[in-house]
């Protein structure tokens, strides 16, 4: 069904993620390696890989430098970071450097399967708990380089706000359609309108920009 490479230097984790893929995507061809050099060599011989699950801390990686190296050498193969890292900035940097997703090793099995399914379906997966982790508990609004000006949010319709809220929770278009009881094509139209109104180029930028928004206050208007 799929051809997937697991690149991680911990045998027990490789076995665990191997089982997740084997159970969730029966018939898939699964390859394993324990360092970046071996992963790079495998991509040269298997340019038909559907996905690489890449550990940030295995030998040869040097953090996100290894991701950049792999993206340069095999630009057509999607790479998702699978890491114990919980720092929001690392997650955002990984996406900036070309990863199509970030899965934390502490994720429950079902969440990990769903994340891989979303990525294989062409979506970008971000861990919603980490994306929301810097929300301030105080009444003072949190602003950073990614924050969306209030006037742009006010330009969104109520349905578009609901779709954007679901996007920040890591839901795919199919899941959003089910949750809001609308057609998936309608969700896609809303997503396109959201990107245009917010002045962003893709779904990831929209999610990152909206990570700290209090949607309840906008939906009460």
């Amino acid at each position: 069904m799929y051809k997937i490479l697991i690149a991680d230097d911990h045998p027990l984790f490789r076995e665990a993620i191997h089982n997740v893929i084997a159970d969730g995507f029966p018939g898939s061809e699964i390859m394993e390696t324990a360092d970046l050099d071996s992963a790079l060599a495998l991509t040269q011989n298997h340019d038909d890989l559907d996905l690489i699950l890449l550990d940030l801390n295995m030998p040869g990686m040097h953090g996100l430098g290894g991701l950049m190296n792999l993206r340069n050498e095999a630009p057509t193969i999607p790479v998702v970071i699978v890491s114990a890292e919980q720092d929001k900035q690392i997650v955002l940097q990984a996406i900036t450097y070309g990863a199509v997703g970030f899965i934390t090793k502490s994720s429950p099995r079902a969440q990990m399967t769903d994340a891989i399914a979303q990525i294989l379906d062409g979506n970008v997966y971000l861990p919603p708990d980490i994306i929301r982790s810097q929300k301030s508990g105080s009444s003072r609004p949190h602003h950073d380089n990614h924050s969306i000006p209030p006037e742009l949010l006010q330009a969104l319709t109520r349905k578009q706000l609901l779709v954007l809220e679901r996007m920040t929770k890591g839901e795919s278009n199919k899941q959003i359609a089910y949750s809001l009881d609308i057609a998936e094509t309608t969700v896609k139209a809303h997503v396109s309108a959201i990107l245009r109104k917010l002045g962003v180029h893709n779904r990831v930028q929209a999610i990152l920009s909206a990570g700290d928004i209090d949607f309840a206050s906008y939906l009460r208007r």
Side-chain angles (χ1 to χ4, degrees):
M1 186 179 181
Y2 295 106
K3 191 171 184 178
I4 298 174
L5 171 61
I6 304 168
D8 194 294
D9 63 329
H10 291 91
L12 284 176
F13 183 76
R14 285 204 309 273
E15 181 181 354
I17 195 73
H18 187 289
N19 291 337
V20 167
I21 295 168
D23 292 345
F25 310 92
S28 294
E29 180 181 348
I30 306 168
M31 293 180 287
E32 300 181 16
T33 186
D35 59 69
L36 181 62
D37 287 344
S38 299
L40 289 169
L42 278 167
T43 62
Q44 299 305 309
N45 297 321
H46 301 275
D47 59 359
D48 58 341
L49 280 165
D50 292 297
L51 187 64
I52 299 173
L53 299 167
L54 184 68
D55 177 31
L56 270 185
N57 298 311
M58 70 178 180
M61 281 295 292
H62 306 295
L64 290 167
L67 168 63
M68 295 173 68
N69 195 352
L70 188 57
R71 296 294 298 131
N72 287 334
E73 293 296 324
T76 62
I77 304 174
V79 179
V80 58
I81 297 298
V82 184
S83 174
E85 184 61 63
Q86 299 280 332
D87 187 295
K88 181 178 179 179
Q89 292 309 311
I90 298 295
V91 176
L92 303 191
Q93 285 179 338
I95 301 300
T96 301
Y97 292 164
V100 296
F102 196 107
I103 301 172
T104 55
K105 289 187 175 181
S106 59
S107 300
R109 185 185 180 97
Q111 183 178 331
M112 196 171 286
T113 302
D114 181 62
I116 294 171
Q118 287 192 40
I119 292 163
L120 289 170
D121 201 32
N123 295 307
V124 171
Y125 179 84
L126 296 169
D129 49 339
I130 292 180
I131 297 306
R132 294 195 300 264
S133 65
Q134 293 186 352
K135 282 190 176 179
S136 173
S138 68
S139 58
R140 182 175 58 85
H142 174 78
H143 294 288
D144 57 29
N145 293 333
H146 299 287
S147 59
I148 300 173
E151 59 269 21
L152 293 185
L153 284 170
Q154 289 164 2
L156 299 181
T157 66
R158 179 180 175 81
K159 188 69 76 173
Q160 287 165 359
L161 280 168
L162 289 169
V163 170
L164 180 58
E165 182 180 24
R166 294 284 175 176
M167 286 166 60
T168 65
K169 295 178 179 178
E171 293 189 9
S172 64
N173 287 350
K174 185 177 293 185
Q175 290 172 310
I176 295 171
Y178 178 80
S179 299
L180 300 181
D181 195 26
I182 55 179
E184 190 172 348
T185 52
T186 304
V187 173
K188 290 179 180 178
H190 282 317
V191 171
S192 296
I194 290 166
L195 300 185
R196 185 178 68 253
K197 288 183 178 181
L198 297 185
V200 295
H201 298 295
N202 55 51
R203 190 185 189 96
V204 175
Q205 289 180 335
I207 292 170
L208 300 186
S209 300
D212 296 314
I213 292 169
D214 178 11
F215 283 95
S217 65
Y218 285 94
L219 289 167
R220 279 198 298 268
R221 70 191 185 197

